[in-house]
């Protein structure tokens, strides 16, 4: 496994917490409004944007090549 | 008309001795101080013979030799490599690059002249 | 309308294509060129998460309640954020201990309990069969809609029902590619390749319909929205409290959590993610590709839903079939057929994987344990059982599918698509505490897991399953409305008077509360027994073990018994392979022909791959004499294993050090070789001129005096160069080897610099360069070797003279006191040193400047100078910007740390 890229545990857990908060009450209520984005209603657009953002963040955390050091005791 | 010889070496004192010898042998002597200049002169002046030092700035002798051998128009050019590097690997590299002969510095002037005559015939 | 023959033809054509792809995948796997060892294919196979329930149901849900279709996909997104942590651990555990199903996983963790395995299997079957029925219903409904037959109910007798034959074809597929041979890892590459292909098909079809609706029927998404805005009940779909009721945040949250758990716990997900995983490192990329797939397949859900409502008018058509009815209503038969094939791919993908997964559980955890109790099957009955095992698996596949079909025939009209999916989700969510808890909590026990599962399942059945059965009219509805025997507190959807929650959240809350409560409570009530404790260690610490795994088994086993057992359950060839490999690795068996614990464990694991961990335990236990383990034994074995691991690590470290030392030696060797080669070159070059010119002088008496003198001058110069070089090489060698003589005295650096400048003034005058001295009046004396320092100064100054331009050359020599040291700098205004050369300029035979134009030198001066300065406890460096001159400087400490008189004298 030497030199293998792997995402950092703490980053993933933080992302998951952020995701859970962003798509649930009370933040969910923030995306609920009459406004439009590029002629599209705010709520679904916001949810899809958060979704896409999480995917991008996960991709970055996974592929960014953060070194394998400091992974805690979970690795051989 | 006498044949042209190109002496490619970055050591001016060696060039002095080589050009003296070549003139005595009846060649027209051209001099290049680095690999690129040598290649340019070979393409422009088409010397019959090139005395090519290996350790030259810019482009080394091996690369010059390979470039000449890759050019069909220059295929008649005789190349004699001169080097102060005496390792077997360097020698093999020189022959591999397509040199007609390979002489280690310091050389005996008589041997060198004999080898040049040999190469030209 | 499309003729039934065309639809049927296309459907079976599609199924044939699936067979072909699966066959290809299997062939590639056999050739060792896996099709599916690839993050994209792996992620696509996870797309089996999207069933007909997504394909048709999402649009239906969006048409009635707007963004409510989303939590089912946001949950997996959140779960995937943790995939690298959680899923990878599941995969690793399953691979190491040959776990082939979720029931196996849970049972294995809690002491390989057959009872627990059976319970998990039972929950799965009860939870999943309606879901299978639902898929068949979707295929049937789609078929009827497309061909224009009235209603979606299976009107014809079963033998004339196309869905029946679809189910049969799928059973054939599952048998061919899911149970053709007994694979110990239970991996089916062909099947996975076909599933990945199905994911592509359903995504492409759904996107095609989405694009058709958005840009074919409307003028883009904003157009749909603009039109929807004018209809009040449609614009409400884009708000949280659209229905007029307050937004059910609790339900939204529970849906998110529920789908987060389901994406890992549904039998089909466990199958494709864990069991079929070829390479756990693929998880890294698949974890974000999969949510991206989900996002793509959901982009057009709202446009299709709202578009359909605009075209047909609210309530005028069944929104769950908009995907088909919208293109059909516009006469786009080809799009409609494509949409149907997409839906069919969603149906078939789910059915195939789910059936294979469930049938494995049914075979290993329900049928095998009962068979093992039969005498005929008892321990001493010989014969190869692999064929029997396969046949059980095949029968189980057909049975599961037919059970689903039966359910569909009987209850076809009873449920809406969405509710049944959620009921299934809630059922498998009951596995979460036992499964995830068992991966991270060593103290969890069998009793906790069993109690939690049973309790959670009971509450689920009472609060969710029972009401839906009652609402279908098979039980008196009064049960739900007034509670059993009229006891209001026991109303299934208002348990103990808990109100304010929707029925799903209500059920999920109570069932998981009971589940977790019992799991934790019972686990804490009694310490784990030895077998549970040992399995807990194996699971929780799976990443900590590298090779030296503890084997928690003590007893006696005869080698021949073990061999016979392996032959029966694994087949002769595979059994022979195991024992051969064992003999290769650990030498021939002992004369007493007794198997050690490691071999027993190994055989048990292999058999576990075929029949599940719990059954394998029972089977192996029947032929060996096992000594019961105590918790102390477990700890002792663990201790031994960790000592072994310690030795292995020490050995590894030692060999790593050796490797490093060897590398270093090789590097030194290379450096020495390079040095010798360079020195040789530098010696031969002047020798060449000397020899050639001397020979020419000898051979040519006719030379003129001018020529003669030129040659002789060159010879003298080159001879000087040669001796300089020899001196420097020797000097360097001495300094490097520590053999040089150092004459430590008090040195006045100001006087020394002045003297050096005076000594080299001739060089500067020749070059026409101006020299400026910038010296303080006095500097403290320091201890150093004056002669060596003079050598350094002269070298720096002659370098400066060489590189100063021929016109306007200027060299500045400065001396100043800095901290507790003195700094000398020599600055010229020559060409300078390029940044890339700066690091190497002090190395031997590295000379500054272009070789063609630089002044002659040996390339050793700077190297020697730096060695001297460093030996005196100082350091030397260069500052330069190309084109703006170079500044060589060195700093010497006033009080050098080492002034090793004793060593210097000892050296002499």
């Amino acid at each position: 496994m030497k030199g293998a890229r792997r995402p950092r545990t703490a980053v993933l857990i933080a992302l998951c917490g952020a995701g859970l908060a962003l798509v649930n009450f009370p933040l969910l209520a923030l995306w609920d409004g009459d406004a439009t984005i590029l002629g599209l209603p705010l709520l679904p657009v916001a949810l899809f944007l958060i979704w896409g953002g999480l995917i991008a963040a996960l991709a970055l955390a996974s592929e960014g090549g953060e070194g394998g050091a400091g992974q805690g005791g979970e690795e051989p | 008309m006498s044949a042209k010889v190109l002496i490619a070496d970055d050591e001016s004192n060696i060039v002095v001795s080589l050009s003296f010898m070549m003139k005595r042998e009846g060649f027209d002597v051209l001099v290049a101080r680095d690999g690129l200049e040598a290649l340019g002169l070979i393409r422009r002046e088409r010397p019959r013979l090139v005395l090519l030092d290996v350790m030259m700035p810019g482009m080394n002798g091996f690369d010059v030799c390979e470039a000449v051998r890759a050019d069909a128009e220059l295929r008649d050019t005789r190349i004699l490599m001169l080097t102060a590097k005496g390792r077997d690997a360097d020698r093999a590299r020189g022959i591999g690059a397509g040199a007609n002969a390979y002489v280690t510095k310091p050389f005996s002037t008589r041997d060198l002249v004999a080898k040049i005559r040999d190469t030209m015939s | 309308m499309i003729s039934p023959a065309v639809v049927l033809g296309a459907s079976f054509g599609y199924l044939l294509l699936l067979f072909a792809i699966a066959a290809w995948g299997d062939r590639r796997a056999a050739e060792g060129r896996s099709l599916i060892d690839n993050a994209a294919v792996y992620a696509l196979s996870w797309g089996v998460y999207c069933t007909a329930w997504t394909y048709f149901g999402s649009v239906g849900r969006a048409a009635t309640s707007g963004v409510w279709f989303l939590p089912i996909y946001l949950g997996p997104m959140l779960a995937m954020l943790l995939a690298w942590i959680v899923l990878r651990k599941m995969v690793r555990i399953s691979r190491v201990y040959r776990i082939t199903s979720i029931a196996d996983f849970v049972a294995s963790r809690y002491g390989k309990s057959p009872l627990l395995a059976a319970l998990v299997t039972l929950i799965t079957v009860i939870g999943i069969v309606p879901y299978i029925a639902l898929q068949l219903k979707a295929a049937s409904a789609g078929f009827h809609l497309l061909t224009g037959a009235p209603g979606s109910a299976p009107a014809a007798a079963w033998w004339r029902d196309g869905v029946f034959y679809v189910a049969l074809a799928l059973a054939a597929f599952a048998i061919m590619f899911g149970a053709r041979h007994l694979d110990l890892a239970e991996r089916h590459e062909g099947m996975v390749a076909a599933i990945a292909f199905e994911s592509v098909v359903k995504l492409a079809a759904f996107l095609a319909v989405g694009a058709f609706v958005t840009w074919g029927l409307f003028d883009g998404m904003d157009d749909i929205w603009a039109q929807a805005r004018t209809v009040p009940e449609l614009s409400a779909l884009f708000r949280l409290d659209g229905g007029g009721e307050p937004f059910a945040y609790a339900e939204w949250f529970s849906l998110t959590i529920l789908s987060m758990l389901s994406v890992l716990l549904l039998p089909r997900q466990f199958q494709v993610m864990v069991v079929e995983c070829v390479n756990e490192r693929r998880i890294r990329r698949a974890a974000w590709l999969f949510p991206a797939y989900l996002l793509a397949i959901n982009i057009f859900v709202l446009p299709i839903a709202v578009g359909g409502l605009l075209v047909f008018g609210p309530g005028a058509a069944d929104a769950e079939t908009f995907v088909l009815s919208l293109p059909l209503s516009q006469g786009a038969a080809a799009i409609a057929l494509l949409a149907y094939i997409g839906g069919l791919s969603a149906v078939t993908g789910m059915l195939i994987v789910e059936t294979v997964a469930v049938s494995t559980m049914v075979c290993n955890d329900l049928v095998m344990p009962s068979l093992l109790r039969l005498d005929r099957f008892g321990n001493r009955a010989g014969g190869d059982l692999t064929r029997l095992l396969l046949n059980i698996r095949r029968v189980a596949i057909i049975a599961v599918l037919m059970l689903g079909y039966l359910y569909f025939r009987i209850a076809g009209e009873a449920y809406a698509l969405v509710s049944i999916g959620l009921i299934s989700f809630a059922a498998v969510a009951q596995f979460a505490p036992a499964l995830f808890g068992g991966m991270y909590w060593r103290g969890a026990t069998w009793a906790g897991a069993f109690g939690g599962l049973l309790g959670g399942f009971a509450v689920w059945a009472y609060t969710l399953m029972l009401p839906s059965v009652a609402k279908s009219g098979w039980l008196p509805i009064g049960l739900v409305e007034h509670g059993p025997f009229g006891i209001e507190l026991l109303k299934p959807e208002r348990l103990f008077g808990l109100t304010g929650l929707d029925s799903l959240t209500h059920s999920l809350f109570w069932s998981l509360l009971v589940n977790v409560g019992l799991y934790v409570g019972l686990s804490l009530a009694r310490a784990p027994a030895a077998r549970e404790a040992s399995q807990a260690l194996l699971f929780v610490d799976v990443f900590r073990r590298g090779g030296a795994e503890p084997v928690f088994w003590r007893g006696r086993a005869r080698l021949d018994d073990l061999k016979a057992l392996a032959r029966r359950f694994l087949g002769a060839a595979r059994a022979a392979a195991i024992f051969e490999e064992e003999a290769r690795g650990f030498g021939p068996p002992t004369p007493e022909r007794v198997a050690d614990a490691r071999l027993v464990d190994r055989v048990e694991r292999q058999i576990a791959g075929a029949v599940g961990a719990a059954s394998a335990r029972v089977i192996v236990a029947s032929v060996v004499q096992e000594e019961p383990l105590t918790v102390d034994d477990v700890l002792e074995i663990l201790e031994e294993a960790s000592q072994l691991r310690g030795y292995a690590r020490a050995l590894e470290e030692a060999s790593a050090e050796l490797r490093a030392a060897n590398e270093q030696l090789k590097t030194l060797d290379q450096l020495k070789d390079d040095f010798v080669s360079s020195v040789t070159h530098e010696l031969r070059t002047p020798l060449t001129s000397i020899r050639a010119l001397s020979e020419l002088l000898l051979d040519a008496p006719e030379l003129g005096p001018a020529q003669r003198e030129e040659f002789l001058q060159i010879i003298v110069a080159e001879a000087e160069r040669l001796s300089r070089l020899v001196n420097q090489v020797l000097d360097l060698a001495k300094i490097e080897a520590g053999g040089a003589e150092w004459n430590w005295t008090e040195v006045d650096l100001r006087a020394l610099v002045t003297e050096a400048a005076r000594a080299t003034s001739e060089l500067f005058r020749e070059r026409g360069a101006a020299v400026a001295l910038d010296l303080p009046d006095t500097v403290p004396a320091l201890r150093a070797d004056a002669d060596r320092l003079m050598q350094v100064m002269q070298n720096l100054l002659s370098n400066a003279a060489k590189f100063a331009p021929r016109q306007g050359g200027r060299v500045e020599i400065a001396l100043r006191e800095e901290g507790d040291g003195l700094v000398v700098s020599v600055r010229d205004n020559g060409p300078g040193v390029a940044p890339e050369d700066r690091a190497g300029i002090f190395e031997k035979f590295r000379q500054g400047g272009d070789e063609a134009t630089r002044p002659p030198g040996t390339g050793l001066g700077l190297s020697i100078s730096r060695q001297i300065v460093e030996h005196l406890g100082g350091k030397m460096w260069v500052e330069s910007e190309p084109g703006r001159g170079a500044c060589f400087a060195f700093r010497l400490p006033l009080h050098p740390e080492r002034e090793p008189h004793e060593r210097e004298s000892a050296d002499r």
Side-chain angles (χ1 to χ4, degrees):
Chain A
M1 292 293 281
K2 192 180 161 197
R5 287 171 301 168
R6 59 169 60 103
R8 290 206 315 241
T9 305
V11 171
L12 296 180
I13 292 174
L15 274 178
C16 184
L20 203 57
L22 280 171
V23 297
N24 271 293
F25 184 78
L27 283 179
L28 183 61
L30 285 187
W31 323 132
D32 181 30
D34 271 328
T36 55
I37 295 174
L38 300 174
L40 296 172
L42 175 63
L43 179 63
V45 171
L47 285 172
F48 273 99
L49 282 182
I50 291 168
W51 191 354
L54 286 174
I55 294 171
L58 178 57
L60 211 64
S62 303
E63 312 281 338
E66 277 290 323
Q71 295 297 306
E74 285 276 288
E75 281 297 318
Chain B
M1 187 193 119
S2 53
K4 285 183 194 163
V5 62
L6 172 69
I7 298 170
D9 200 318
D10 60 332
E11 285 284 339
S12 57
N13 293 339
I14 294 178
V15 172
V16 168
S17 59
L18 286 175
S19 51
F20 181 84
M21 286 161 67
M22 291 304 105
K23 280 177 189 151
R24 208 176 52 180
E25 288 298 308
F27 285 103
D28 252 1
V29 175
L30 304 162
V31 174
R33 303 297 300 267
D34 63 64
L36 276 175
E37 192 187 349
L39 196 58
L41 277 175
I42 293 169
R43 293 207 164 114
R44 200 167 61 239
E45 302 284 343
R46 301 288 168 92
R48 286 277 317 276
L49 172 69
V50 181
L51 301 182
L52 191 57
D53 182 34
V54 171
M55 293 276 279
M56 280 189 296
M59 188 176 186
N60 73 32
F62 295 136
D63 295 341
V64 173
C65 189
E66 275 162 11
V68 171
R69 289 302 177 226
D71 192 334
E73 290 184 30
L74 303 175
R75 93 181 129 229
D76 290 336
T77 315
R78 305 285 162 143
I79 297 180
L80 192 146
M81 297 208 87
L82 287 168
T83 180
K85 289 199 152 194
R87 285 186 289 198
D88 288 345
D90 298 319
R91 191 181 191 87
R93 171 94 206 269
I95 300 302
N100 297 85
Y102 192 93
V103 173
T104 312
K105 294 178 185 174
F107 46 80
S108 137
T109 45
R110 283 181 209 154
D111 285 357
L112 185 68
V113 168
K115 221 164 209 155
I116 287 169
R117 288 187 183 142
D118 208 35
T119 307
M120 298 301 289
S121 62
Chain C
M1 298 304 122
I2 306 172
S3 94
V6 171
V7 179
L8 274 179
S11 304
F12 281 93
Y14 175 73
L15 286 176
L16 277 181
L17 187 60
L18 280 190
F19 275 84
I21 289 172
W24 180 43
D26 268 352
R27 205 173 59 234
R28 287 281 297 253
E31 290 168 359
R33 296 185 300 145
S34 176
L35 272 184
I36 67 172
D37 182 15
N38 165 320
V41 177
Y42 188 38
L44 279 174
S45 75
W46 298 3
V48 74
Y49 182 74
C50 299
T51 62
W53 190 50
T54 299
Y55 197 84
F56 299 113
S58 280
V59 173
R61 189 149 220 206
T64 51
S65 51
V67 292
W68 275 97
F69 69 99
L70 273 176
I72 302 299
Y73 306 97
L74 293 175
M77 169 74 249
L78 299 177
M80 284 306 110
L81 288 169
L82 301 180
W84 181 254
I85 305 168
V86 178
L87 179 60
R88 193 167 56 102
K89 190 163 187 179
M90 290 164 74
V91 168
R92 177 70 70 88
I93 290 172
S94 301
R95 203 190 58 214
V96 175
Y97 305 114
R98 303 246 177 208
I99 285 166
T100 55
S101 73
I102 206 160
D104 212 8
F105 194 101
V106 174
S108 181
R109 161 63 181 82
Y110 299 99
K112 305 183 182 173
S113 155
L115 206 56
L116 203 49
L119 178 62
V120 172
T121 305
L122 214 61
I123 295 176
T124 310
V125 171
I126 294 175
I128 293 301
V129 164
Y131 204 179
I132 289 177
L134 166 85
Q135 303 298 318
L136 294 171
K137 180 187 166 184
S140 165
F143 178 77
H144 288 289
L145 185 92
L146 223 51
T147 54
S152 66
W158 63 266
W159 63 85
R160 290 181 55 202
D161 183 3
V163 174
F164 178 73
Y165 294 100
V166 168
L168 273 191
L170 291 179
F173 184 96
I175 287 171
M176 270 189 76
F177 298 104
R180 188 165 45 184
H181 46 74
L182 207 58
D183 189 278
L184 290 188
E186 208 51 58
R187 281 196 11 228
H188 315 96
E189 296 216 352
M191 179 184 88
V192 174
I195 296 308
F197 172 73
E198 300 219 81
S199 289
V200 175
V201 169
K202 65 192 174 204
L203 177 64
F206 199 85
L207 290 181
V209 176
F212 171 76
V213 173
T214 308
W215 290 286
L217 303 186
F218 294 89
D219 193 15
M221 285 196 198
D222 45 345
D223 179 41
I224 298 181
W225 162 240
Q227 292 193 31
R229 220 175 173 163
T230 59
V231 187
E233 57 257 67
L234 289 193
S235 63
L237 289 177
F238 299 104
R239 294 298 301 269
L240 288 178
D241 50 359
E245 289 179 27
F247 186 75
Y249 289 107
E251 189 184 356
W252 180 277
F253 179 73
S254 59
L255 277 177
T256 316
I257 297 293
L258 191 59
S259 52
M260 197 173 161
L261 296 175
S262 303
V263 79
L264 295 170
L265 296 177
L266 283 165
R268 64 175 185 279
Q269 295 304 121
F270 191 88
Q271 183 78 27
V272 291
M273 286 175 159
V274 179
V275 181
E276 307 285 358
C277 179
V278 179
N279 179 346
E280 70 178 34
R281 263 175 288 177
R282 302 281 172 257
I283 294 173
R284 185 170 56 88
R285 186 163 296 164
W288 63 267
L289 286 177
F290 172 55
Y293 176 89
L294 293 182
L295 187 137
I297 208 168
N298 274 294
I299 281 277
F300 285 114
V301 168
L302 267 177
I304 294 174
V306 177
L309 290 174
L310 285 169
V311 169
F312 294 117
D318 180 6
E320 288 189 349
T321 52
F322 275 174
V323 177
L324 300 174
S325 55
L326 265 177
L328 211 55
S329 72
Q330 307 300 315
I335 301 263
L337 191 61
L338 179 66
Y340 179 74
I341 294 296
L344 190 66
S345 73
V347 169
T348 53
M350 182 278 185
L351 287 180
I352 289 166
V353 184
E354 203 88 277
T355 338
V356 167
V358 173
S359 74
T360 306
M361 287 196 228
V362 168
C363 168
N364 290 353
D365 302 315
L366 287 181
V367 180
M368 278 307 290
S370 340
L371 281 183
L372 287 173
R373 279 209 194 97
L374 292 180
D375 282 347
R376 198 172 67 79
F377 215 78
N379 4 354
R380 302 286 173 244
D384 191 336
L385 294 182
T386 51
R387 181 150 291 278
L388 178 70
L389 277 174
L390 269 181
N391 285 336
I392 295 174
R393 192 79 50 89
R394 288 167 184 158
V395 172
I397 287 174
I398 297 176
V400 168
L401 267 172
M402 286 305 115
L403 206 59
Y405 182 73
L406 200 68
Y407 200 97
F408 153 68
R409 293 288 296 197
I410 295 171
E413 282 302 283
Y415 300 112
L417 286 182
V418 166
S419 69
I420 217 169
L422 289 178
I423 292 174
S424 278
F425 276 30
V428 298
Q430 302 307 321
F431 302 148
L435 194 146
F436 295 126
M439 280 164 60
Y440 293 98
W441 182 27
R442 290 194 190 88
T445 65
W446 178 89
F450 194 80
L453 272 175
L454 200 61
F457 175 61
V459 174
W460 168 83
Y462 186 69
T463 55
L464 206 57
M465 196 69 181
L466 184 88
S468 75
V469 172
K471 283 171 191 166
S472 309
W474 296 335
L475 282 172
I477 194 71
L479 209 60
V480 178
E481 282 169 359
H482 309 295
F485 317 112
I487 306 172
E488 292 274 324
L489 274 184
L490 293 183
K491 282 197 328 197
E493 294 186 321
R494 298 277 185 277
L495 203 57
F496 306 124
L498 182 69
T499 57
L501 294 176
D502 61 288
S503 60
L504 178 78
T505 311
H506 173 267
S507 169
L508 201 64
F509 169 72
W510 280 119
S511 62
L512 283 181
L513 183 74
V514 168
N515 190 332
V516 173
L518 285 172
Y519 177 66
V520 175
L522 290 176
S523 290
L524 292 178
R526 192 182 61 80
R531 184 146 294 286
E532 296 160 60
S534 59
Q535 287 299 104
L537 288 170
L538 293 179
F539 270 53
V540 174
D541 297 336
V542 68
F543 282 124
R544 297 233 182 107
R545 322 214 169 282
E549 279 176 57
V551 175
F552 296 105
W553 190 84
R554 273 178 189 172
R556 286 170 55 80
R558 288 183 53 236
L559 202 59
D560 290 340
D561 291 346
L562 221 49
K563 270 188 184 163
L565 203 64
R567 269 199 296 276
R568 287 177 68 201
F569 286 94
L570 306 172
R574 196 158 279 157
I578 293 174
F579 286 92
E580 260 168 39
E581 200 181 310
E582 187 72 19
R584 260 205 309 282
F586 298 93
T590 52
E592 311 90 71
R593 308 195 58 76
V594 173
D596 64 358
R598 197 180 28 72
L599 181 58
V600 173
D601 182 65
R602 189 183 159 116
V603 170
E604 183 180 324
R605 263 193 227 176
Q606 297 279 336
I607 295 179
V611 299
S615 298
R617 179 92 274 279
V618 175
I619 291 164
V620 171
S622 69
V623 302
V624 301
Q625 286 176 294
E626 189 175 350
E627 291 169 16
L629 282 183
T630 67
V631 174
D632 285 341
D633 293 335
V634 169
L635 292 178
E636 195 182 310
I637 292 171
L638 194 69
E639 178 67 17
E640 281 168 18
S642 69
Q643 269 175 13
L644 267 181
R645 242 190 349 270
Y647 295 145
R649 192 170 302 147
L651 207 61
E652 212 166 86
E653 277 165 13
S655 76
E657 272 169 29
L658 261 178
R659 250 198 316 276
N662 192 29
E663 283 300 311
Q664 206 180 346
L665 272 179
K666 270 193 203 155
T667 318
L668 278 178
D669 209 39
Q670 178 68 37
L671 278 178
K672 199 194 83 192
D673 198 34
D674 288 351
F675 179 71
V676 169
S677 168
S678 298
V679 171
T680 314
H681 183 263
E682 296 303 313
L683 290 172
R684 279 179 172 171
T685 302
L687 269 178
T688 306
S689 306
I690 295 173
R691 179 170 181 186
L693 293 171
S694 318
E695 285 182 7
L696 290 176
L697 284 170
L698 259 183
D699 286 354
E702 75 280 6
L703 276 181
Q707 187 91 64
R708 214 168 252 281
E709 196 182 328
E710 188 200 348
F711 283 10
L712 284 170
Q713 267 171 2
I714 292 176
I715 290 172
V716 171
E718 292 287 10
E720 279 171 355
R721 175 176 167 190
L722 204 52
S723 51
R724 203 162 53 236
L725 183 80
V726 169
N727 284 339
Q728 284 188 339
V729 169
L730 289 179
D731 221 18
L732 191 68
K734 260 205 237 163
I735 294 173
E736 282 193 341
E741 284 175 33
W742 295 85
N743 191 12
W744 292 83
T745 53
E746 295 282 321
V747 176
D748 178 358
L749 206 52
R750 185 179 189 282
L752 189 137
V753 170
T754 318
E755 168 63 19
R758 200 192 51 72
T760 48
S761 59
E762 184 62 20
L763 285 177
F764 291 106
R765 210 158 44 81
E766 271 176 26
R767 189 80 178 180
V771 179
L773 279 162
D774 174 14
L775 309 175
D777 291 338
T778 56
V779 288
L782 50 73
R783 287 196 66 83
D785 183 321
D787 292 342
R788 296 283 183 190
L789 272 185
M790 182 57 95
Q791 193 183 342
V792 172
M793 279 311 297
Q794 287 187 352
N795 179 264
L796 291 187
L797 291 175
S798 61
N799 258 353
K802 270 190 268 178
F803 284 98
R806 289 205 179 272
Q807 271 154 18
R810 182 175 167 76
V811 175
E812 293 163 19
I813 308 166
L815 168 66
R816 61 189 184 279
E817 199 176 340
E818 255 182 29
D820 57 347
L822 296 177
V823 175
V824 178
S825 60
V826 177
R827 181 184 300 277
D828 65 53
N829 59 345
V833 183
E836 63 269 22
D837 294 334
R838 233 168 275 159
I841 191 133
F842 292 106
E843 282 170 31
K844 296 159 202 146
F845 301 112
R846 286 289 183 87
Q847 300 188 28
D850 188 344
E851 290 177 66
T853 55
R854 68 159 180 243
T858 58
L860 285 175
L862 279 174
S863 184
I864 292 174
S865 298
R866 187 161 74 162
Q867 299 254 10
I868 291 171
V869 169
E870 282 175 359
H871 191 91
L872 295 173
K875 66 186 203 100
M876 176 176 263
W877 67 93
V878 60
E879 296 160 9
S880 175
E881 276 174 55
R884 305 184 59 180
C887 176
F888 285 87
F890 63 91
R891 178 183 189 283
L892 287 173
L894 288 173
H895 313 286
E897 275 172 31
R898 62 171 204 175
E899 187 188 323
H901 289 291
E902 60 291 349
R903 213 198 82 193
E904 302 305 336
S905 44
D907 282 339
R908 302 183 63 175

